[in-house]
Amino acid sequence: MSEERDQRECVLLAAFEGWNDACQAATNVVRHLVSRYESREIRHISCDGYYDYQVSRPMLCRVTGRPRIIWPQTTFYEITLPTGRRLYAQIAPEPNYRWREYCRQSLHIADELDVDRIVTLGSMFADCPHTRPLPVDVSHDLDEAGRSCDCGANDDEGGYSGPVGIPTVLDDMAREQSFATTSLWASIPQYSGNDDCPQATLNLLRRLGRELGLGFDEGDLEARANEWNAKVTMLLRCSDQLADYVHHLEREWDRAQEARRAASENPRQAEQLVRETEDFLRNL
């Protein structure tokens, strides 16, 4: 994408709490941007008809000492960067009901804001080691041929098939309405627990910046990511079984990286490495 197009393009980021948001890594990208830059709420989608309140429960808060019920809702932000460029961001719990109607309402707001591109953010648990760069998977316009992967993630040439969440549905409906779409998904080690994963948030933020041709203020994310890595490493010292599992993931990751390097240099050698990797995995 050219720098001139970067300046013209109006982008809406979308992230949803729940199934699509392991360790809150995706929604924390939006929260980070809202906290680091001049931001204001500009639109909302009412919760009525979209949520099961036994799943997405209302919250009791106190405002100036008085109790107030906060219902789940969708909030749209306008984020103004120091360069003067504006981004829009949508954040919400994943709806329980009427996904198509919810997406139509979201896209109607995007159209009102003159949005050109919708970027959905997600995070998922995966078999990846925390001792290697956490993968960020990127796809454009739901085109599997255009899918790319950062940080050595395993990429299935056939593309993903299976259950999807609201980001994928929003992508699909946006494409049908002629919006450009980009999807960014971070992978998080499944053994690391459910606490926030600032490393995945940082990787998503950096990849988002490269996709948009922007350099974002990272704040304390790198320091928090280092703390997260140290904490997860400590878990390995408490469990030999977990340490062995992570060493297995490291070997698999390193073999995949070696195969990619060989593929770019020598296709015949790459085929041999793929066979060796398959034999290695079968014999585990």
Side-chain angles (χ1 to χ4, degrees), residues 10-225:
C10 184
V11 175
L12 170 67
L13 312 177
F16 300 90
E17 300 168 0
W19 189 73
N20 319 275
D21 191 30
C23 297
Q24 301 78 53
T27 51
N28 278 345
V29 171
V30 173
R31 295 186 186 99
H32 177 83
L33 292 172
V34 168
S35 69
R36 302 302 298 184
Y37 297 108
E38 179 183 346
S39 306
R40 64 189 183 96
E41 297 183 18
I42 56 171
R43 297 282 197 286
H44 297 92
I45 294 177
S46 170
C47 57
D48 292 342
Y50 293 124
Y51 292 102
D52 177 346
Y53 296 134
Q54 291 182 327
V55 177
S56 300
R57 290 187 177 273
M59 300 293 291
L60 176 64
C61 299
R62 294 194 175 271
V63 180
T64 63
R66 301 184 62 180
R68 179 182 176 189
I69 299 294
I70 305 298
W71 297 87
Q73 70 172 357
T74 300
T75 302
F76 290 81
Y77 291 93
E78 180 185 75
I79 302 169
T80 303
L81 305 180
T83 60
R85 183 175 176 183
R86 292 180 302 174
L87 299 175
Y88 297 107
Q90 173 181 4
I91 187 170
E94 181 178 59
N96 304 107
Y97 308 118
R98 299 168 59 207
W99 279 15
R100 285 183 291 238
E101 176 59 30
Y102 177 87
C103 288
R104 279 193 287 268
Q105 196 167 353
S106 298
L107 295 173
H108 177 71
I109 292 174
D111 191 52
E112 288 182 339
L113 297 173
D114 293 324
V115 165
D116 303 300
R117 176 173 294 275
I118 293 176
V119 179
T120 54
L121 306 174
S123 53
M124 58 188 172
F125 290 112
D127 292 325
C128 58
H130 76 284
T131 52
R132 301 294 187 269
L134 299 187
V136 176
D137 188 72
V138 183
S139 61
H140 299 278
D141 300 326
L142 287 180
D143 179 5
E144 292 298 337
R147 184 178 296 275
S148 63
C149 204
D150 268 0
C151 309
N154 293 329
D155 193 14
D156 180 0
E157 290 183 0
Y160 172 76
S161 297
V164 299
I166 196 75
T168 305
V169 175
L170 182 62
D171 279 341
D172 185 59
M173 293 182 64
R175 180 176 55 84
E176 289 178 354
Q177 294 190 28
S178 300
F179 290 94
T181 63
T182 299
S183 177
L184 307 181
W185 281 81
S187 292
I188 298 172
Q190 58 184 0
Y191 58 83
S192 64
N194 291 316
D195 292 340
D196 284 4
C197 181
Q199 184 66 69
T201 297
L202 179 61
N203 288 8
L204 272 174
L205 183 70
R206 287 174 173 171
R207 185 55 196 254
L208 175 65
R210 292 202 298 274
E211 288 294 314
L212 302 183
L214 297 169
F216 291 120
D217 180 354
E218 296 178 359
D220 64 349
L221 272 178
E222 186 166 8
R224 291 171 51 213

